[in-house]
Amino acid sequence: LTPFSASEDMRSTWQGKAGRSPLQALYESDQFEQSSLQAVHQQRREMLSNICSRYTRKRRLLRPDDLRHLVVDDAHGLLYCYVPKVACTNWKRVMMVLTGQGKYQDPLEIPAHEAHVPSNLRTLSEYSVPEINSRLRSYLKFVFVREPFERLVSAYRNKFTLSYNTAFHKRYGTKIIRRHRQEPSDRALERGDDVRFEEFVYYLLDPRTQQEEPFNEHWERVHSLCHPCIIHYDVVGKYETLAEDANYILQLVGADTSVKFPASSKTTRTTDDMTAQFFQDISPFYQRRLFNLYKMDYLLFNYSIPSYLRIR
């Protein structure tokens, strides 16, 4: 497949069903007139654009492989870049309702594991280059982001502290323990189910890790998964304002009013306070290095340096 570039004309705004961009539609709509949400999203786009122009000197070409996280909804002209640990299960459920031709009515009726079956949703990487270009030019593109270290701790808790995630324990836990624990027990080396957060941090910062293979999507940086300096996102949703941002997107694309984004009911959700506790035992030296690893996500999506870090 020929590489292609999200050039300036490709970065044009989405053309809705009536041939207008969502931004034009917003300006013309009484419903959203003077909307504070509209201003918030304009601000996020501008911030993203400014940081991209400041930090990316050379725009590289996109390859089809870069587009594996962009879920396509041809019925509503929608592209969603999913980021694990940022409500992506619920967004995939919603996308299944939107693309399912009536097969699914309620996102919450779709089992979580079914939302992650690759064949249930098409990604942009499955299309031809002309089809990719046309969708990048004309569809509404959105991504959801989260405070980077909160997302990282959420990934660690989910993949390394829950007993049922044996695939992750075997695939990553055993390697992390072998490399980053002094005198590990035979049981730990075999099962990999008791990785400490500190060991996980060492693994992320070990140069061998990314030399051997890309980061797993659960702890890969958002800018590496979704390429926000190449693909021009119309909406940057935030986990911290999930309900409002999700509703805003569904209204923008004219989704049926019966399609509701599932309300969050999780009491086990990783919070800022919880994240701070995980970082208590990480030395300032490693805190600084880890922050540098995720720095672009902090900058691009306007998250401030966490107050609990001892890196100033």
Side-chain angles (χ1 to χ4, degrees):
L1 280 171
T2 315
F4 47 91
S5 163
S7 58
E8 286 312 315
D9 61 324
M10 189 179 298
R11 290 162 61 87
S12 61
T13 49
W14 168 72
Q15 299 296 311
K17 288 176 187 166
R20 296 171 305 162
S21 78
L23 305 182
Q24 286 173 310
L26 275 179
Y27 291 133
E28 294 164 19
S29 159
D30 292 338
Q31 191 177 358
F32 287 105
E33 200 140 79
Q34 305 304 319
S35 153
S36 58
L37 259 180
Q38 179 188 325
V40 164
H41 287 285
Q42 174 73 23
Q43 205 173 10
R44 288 179 190 170
R45 281 193 303 275
E46 286 173 1
M47 166 69 70
L48 187 55
S49 177
N50 289 341
I51 297 294
C52 285
S53 59
R54 195 183 308 171
Y55 285 91
T56 53
R57 288 171 187 81
K58 188 179 177 186
R59 284 255 294 279
R60 72 171 182 78
L61 296 177
L62 280 169
R63 296 178 299 272
D65 195 50
D66 293 322
L67 306 174
R68 288 179 298 111
H69 275 248
L70 280 155
V71 175
V72 181
D73 172 8
D74 284 324
H76 297 88
L78 197 56
L79 291 176
Y80 159 54
C81 189
Y82 71 90
V83 178
K85 308 312 299 175
V86 192
C88 90
T89 303
N90 279 342
W91 262 118
K92 284 182 176 181
R93 285 168 161 151
V94 169
M95 294 295 280
M96 284 173 70
V97 171
L98 292 175
T99 58
Q101 284 103 38
K103 184 180 174 186
Y104 310 98
Q105 308 294 327
D106 178 1
L108 284 178
E109 287 175 0
I110 302 170
H113 67 86
E114 202 174 315
H116 296 291
V117 173
S119 58
N120 283 335
L121 290 164
R122 286 194 78 182
T123 67
L124 199 54
S125 59
E126 298 169 44
Y127 290 76
S128 71
V129 169
E131 289 172 329
I132 289 169
N133 284 336
S134 123
R135 281 160 180 75
L136 281 172
R137 257 196 305 271
S138 60
Y139 283 15
L140 184 135
K141 299 169 286 294
F142 75 99
V143 59
F144 268 76
V145 300
R146 183 178 185 178
E147 202 286 328
F149 281 174
E150 196 178 287
R151 175 176 168 247
L152 187 66
V153 168
S154 176
Y156 165 76
R157 290 179 66 218
N158 182 260
K159 300 305 173 191
F160 295 109
T161 70
L162 301 178
S163 58
Y164 63 78
N165 266 325
T166 51
F168 268 80
H169 302 157
K170 287 278 189 189
R171 172 85 173 73
Y172 296 100
T174 53
K175 179 190 280 190
I176 292 170
I177 289 167
R178 187 172 70 249
R179 285 192 174 168
H180 301 290
R181 182 177 299 180
Q182 290 187 338
E183 299 179 13
S185 68
D186 290 342
R187 181 197 176 280
L189 285 170
E190 186 192 345
R191 299 181 65 159
D193 60 357
D194 65 343
V195 171
R196 296 190 282 269
F197 184 65
E198 189 178 22
E199 294 166 338
F200 179 52
V201 169
Y202 295 155
Y203 162 78
L204 294 172
L205 295 172
D206 184 341
R208 292 173 292 182
T209 300
Q210 286 193 82
Q211 285 167 9
E212 290 169 356
E213 60 181 340
F215 275 166
N216 180 277
E217 61 179 15
H218 290 83
W219 46 85
E220 180 60 279
R221 286 70 52 97
V222 177
H223 71 87
S224 296
L225 292 175
C226 295
H227 313 286
C229 291
I230 310 176
I231 296 168
H232 177 75
Y233 287 95
D234 300 290
V235 181
V236 177
K238 292 203 167 187
Y239 192 73
E240 296 78 12
T241 50
L242 177 60
E244 305 95 291
D245 292 347
N247 186 45
Y248 176 73
I249 288 162
L250 291 172
Q251 285 186 291
L252 267 184
V253 296
D256 193 294
T257 51
S258 65
V259 181
K260 303 288 184 201
F261 191 84
S264 180
S265 59
K266 275 195 173 178
T267 51
T268 56
R269 164 171 120 64
T270 303
T271 62
D272 185 62
D273 288 346
M274 198 183 290
T275 304
Q277 289 174 1
F278 278 88
F279 275 85
Q280 274 179 347
D281 298 328
I282 306 299
S283 73
F285 174 75
Y286 283 107
Q287 287 185 6
R288 162 63 70 185
R289 288 188 59 201
L290 195 67
F291 178 77
N292 286 338
L293 188 62
Y294 288 88
K295 186 177 180 178
M296 276 308 292
D297 280 0
Y298 275 97
L299 290 169
L300 290 166
F301 307 116
N302 198 24
Y303 286 105
S304 51
I305 299 174
S307 57
Y308 55 77
L309 291 186
R310 305 186 302 281
I311 62 176
R312 285 169 180 79

